[in-house]
Amino acid sequence: MSKIKKNLMYVYGSTAVNGLLGLVFVPIALKNIGVEGYGLYSIFITLTGFIVLAELGFNKYFTRLLSSNRNEKDQKINLQVSVGFYIYVYIILIVILAPILIYIVPNYIFPIDGKHNIVRIIVACAILDYLFTIPTSLLKTYSISNEKFNKLSRFNLSTGLWRYSLLIITSILFKSAVILVIVILLRRIIEFFYGLKVFGNLPSGSWKPVFKKGLYRKILRDSIYLSVSQLFQMSVTAVGSVLVNRYFGVHSLGIYRSSFDIANKVWFISNGLGVVIFPKFSKMLNDNKENLSLRLSKYLNLSWIIYSIVFLLGLLTVPFYNNLLDIKSKEMFLLLLLGVCYNAHSNLGFEYLQALGKFKTVASINIISFLVIVLSFFILSEEHGFLSIGYSWIISQIFYSVITDLLVIWNLKVRAKLLNIFIKLGLFLIAILIYTLYI
């Protein structure tokens, strides 16, 4: 068995279990903390994703750097530089960004009548959650860069079991979104010590920070487009929560987010592939670019077909799992599922463009995708109400996936570019037609 297949087996083994546990958690949480409580919990999940952006894309840049140069001495130097960089991140986040976020989020981003103090607590927990994660993230990044995915899978499987067990038990015993968030935060401390056991420590001396302001400026300058890309990539998935809460209330937010959290389990396929494939792409672009080009075009076509089938299976079997998973809006769930499938497909091409260093390109795609979902929402909201966010999600993701594929095959110099895209759009229209007839 090839190394990449083994790595995919390791990663998918752990993500599949965590995906199933995530499906179990959603209906239990809805029953015990309520739809509004789930809406509050979703604010924490949304914020943790955004706060990661405080590192300005450095983690991805750093993974690419370590993957392309695996000399232990050079990796140690790069690790020391990263530790120094993250110390700056701690200072900036605690001193500057934390007070701003604690004020802005409850007043402007997630304003909820009578729950301003609760939202402030959630914001503070989200900030601390990221800060507690950084040391563990360094251990994981080092492991990923050296393609030690067996260790990563063991870590993810164990911590996933802890996480969802704690979430389920906490939601049943305390029936409080705030306590749920605090429990998620505190488990980060345990994760670090467990990470040391599983991954082993970084090379001796790697935790000693090295501050190189000139190098940091260069890294930030090189990764600025990646930072913007990550910001808008995250915004595309998070803006739905903000818009639904603002225009339809926290109850609707709970319905929307619970549906999204069930639909996005499809991402366990693309996320697992992305973790394995990015360092592989980075290495192959240096060692065997021609072989990579021949394979990737075929994989893109196969990926589109697979995710189209995933959506159709989800559509046709929804009567069997609708009540089991306590899906509050079947129509919303299916719209989100279709968008998630095309977002998941795009991950393969997206990782390739990043490994190629096309940070400006991927940033532009994500900015336009974000604008598409926001504009579509305001255009459709008057006629379609709550479901407008689902339609907007599909519109933005079909745009995102088609443009990403087109750019990838253009860089690969593949023939029949337009035919390739037209076939994929045809499959998309078939999926929409079946959805319309089914609903």
Side-chain angles (χ1 to χ4, degrees):
M1 186 182 293
S2 67
K3 186 176 180 180
I4 193 169
K5 288 180 180 178
K6 286 182 180 179
N7 289 337
L8 285 171
M9 276 181 49
Y10 289 137
V11 174
Y12 282 141
S14 61
T15 52
V17 172
N18 288 330
L20 289 172
L21 289 171
L23 288 176
V24 171
F25 166 69
V26 173
I28 291 175
L30 286 170
K31 181 180 179 181
N32 287 280
I33 66 175
V35 175
E36 289 192 8
Y38 199 95
L40 291 169
Y41 164 75
S42 73
I43 293 173
F44 172 79
I45 300 301
T46 302
L47 290 174
T48 53
F50 272 110
I51 291 169
V52 170
L53 299 174
E55 65 184 36
L56 301 173
F58 181 73
N59 184 268
K60 197 78 174 183
Y61 183 95
F62 180 58
T63 303
R64 182 169 174 256
L65 194 64
L66 285 174
S67 300
S68 58
N69 182 3
R70 298 182 184 176
N71 178 278
E72 185 174 338
K73 184 178 179 181
D74 291 336
Q75 286 191 330
K76 174 185 173 180
I77 294 170
N78 288 326
L79 285 165
Q80 290 176 321
V81 172
S82 72
V83 171
F85 179 86
Y86 279 119
I87 289 174
Y88 281 119
V89 171
Y90 270 88
I91 294 169
I92 291 169
L93 193 53
I94 293 172
V95 176
I96 300 174
L97 293 182
I100 295 172
L101 290 173
I102 289 172
Y103 174 75
I104 288 178
V105 172
N107 288 294
Y108 299 103
I109 300 177
F110 286 105
I112 301 174
D113 291 339
K115 297 188 185 297
H116 277 55
N117 288 333
I118 291 176
V119 176
R120 288 190 184 97
I121 292 171
I122 290 172
V123 174
C125 287
I127 294 168
L128 290 173
D129 182 80
Y130 169 65
L131 295 177
F132 288 177
T133 304
I134 288 175
T136 309
S137 179
L138 281 168
L139 296 175
K140 292 172 70 173
T141 299
Y142 182 68
S143 182
I144 291 169
S145 300
N146 291 285
E147 299 188 61
K148 297 178 180 178
F149 293 103
N150 57 332
K151 293 183 177 182
L152 179 67
S153 300
R154 178 184 166 192
F155 177 84
N156 287 342
L157 178 60
S158 298
T159 55
L161 288 170
W162 298 344
R163 181 187 184 215
Y164 285 111
S165 297
L166 285 170
L167 288 176
I168 290 169
I169 292 169
T170 303
S171 63
I172 292 172
L173 292 180
F174 298 100
K175 305 184 187 304
S176 167
V178 174
I179 295 178
L180 200 64
V181 165
I182 293 172
V183 168
I184 297 174
L185 168 64
L186 294 178
R187 107 316 180 157
R188 292 292 191 186
I189 299 171
I190 302 172
E191 283 185 0
F192 172 68
F193 291 102
Y194 183 68
L196 287 174
K197 179 181 178 181
V198 174
F199 299 120
N201 209 337
L202 299 179
S204 178
S206 296
W207 292 105
K208 183 180 179 180
V210 171
F211 300 96
K212 294 187 177 181
K213 294 181 180 179
L215 179 60
Y216 294 153
R217 282 194 291 269
K218 180 183 182 302
I219 291 173
L220 292 175
R221 186 168 58 249
D222 290 344
S223 65
I224 187 65
Y225 291 113
L226 178 58
S227 306
V228 173
S229 175
Q230 288 183 329
L231 171 63
F232 282 95
Q233 185 182 32
M234 182 63 65
S235 297
V236 166
T237 58
V239 71
S241 297
V242 176
L243 292 172
V244 169
N245 178 71
R246 177 170 289 276
Y247 291 97
F248 303 106
V250 69
H251 184 83
S252 294
L253 172 61
I255 295 174
Y256 163 78
R257 187 65 204 208
S258 60
S259 298
F260 190 87
D261 286 348
I262 295 171
N264 70 23
K265 298 311 171 201
V266 171
W267 280 339
F268 95 86
I269 303 173
S270 64
N271 288 346
L273 185 62
V275 167
V276 174
I277 214 71
F278 181 75
K280 192 71 176 178
F281 280 168
S282 298
K283 194 170 188 299
M284 288 183 74
L285 282 168
N286 284 336
D287 302 339
N288 199 358
K289 188 174 181 179
E290 185 176 341
N291 185 37
L292 174 61
S293 298
L294 291 172
R295 291 165 133 188
L296 187 55
S297 178
K298 296 177 182 179
Y299 292 158
L300 284 173
N301 293 332
L302 180 61
S303 171
W304 193 285
I305 293 169
I306 289 172
Y307 283 114
S308 297
I309 293 172
V310 168
F311 169 71
L312 292 176
L313 288 174
L315 175 66
L316 296 174
T317 58
V318 71
F320 299 101
Y321 59 79
N322 184 29
N323 293 328
L324 181 65
L325 297 177
D326 197 15
I327 296 172
K328 300 298 184 182
S329 171
K330 185 172 68 174
E331 292 84 357
M332 175 64 77
F333 167 74
L334 291 173
L335 290 171
L336 295 174
L337 177 63
L338 181 57
V340 164
C341 285
Y342 290 120
N343 180 280
H345 160 78
S346 303
N347 196 47
L348 182 63
F350 191 77
E351 294 293 346
Y352 171 76
L353 291 173
Q354 289 186 104
L356 201 62
K358 300 282 186 178
F359 299 140
K360 185 176 181 179
T361 299
V362 296
S364 300
I365 298 171
N366 280 310
I367 290 171
I368 297 172
S369 180
F370 173 78
L371 294 174
V372 168
I373 193 172
V374 173
L375 290 173
S376 299
F377 174 81
F378 286 113
I379 291 170
L380 298 172
S381 59
E382 186 173 343
E383 181 177 351
H384 296 283
F386 177 54
L387 290 178
S388 59
I389 192 63
Y391 292 119
S392 302
W393 171 243
I394 290 175
I395 293 168
S396 70
Q397 292 314 296
I398 193 66
F399 167 85
Y400 177 71
S401 56
V402 167
I403 295 299
T404 301
D405 274 20
L406 192 59
L407 289 168
V408 170
I409 60 178
W410 186 275
N411 278 280
L412 294 174
K413 297 180 172 57
V414 177
R415 295 181 180 179
K417 299 180 182 66
L418 291 178
L419 178 61
N420 192 305
I421 295 300
F422 284 141
I423 291 172
K424 292 175 181 177
L425 286 174
L427 289 172
F428 166 71
L429 292 174
I430 291 170
I432 288 291
L433 178 63
I434 295 173
Y435 166 81
T436 305
L437 293 173
Y438 187 83
I439 295 299

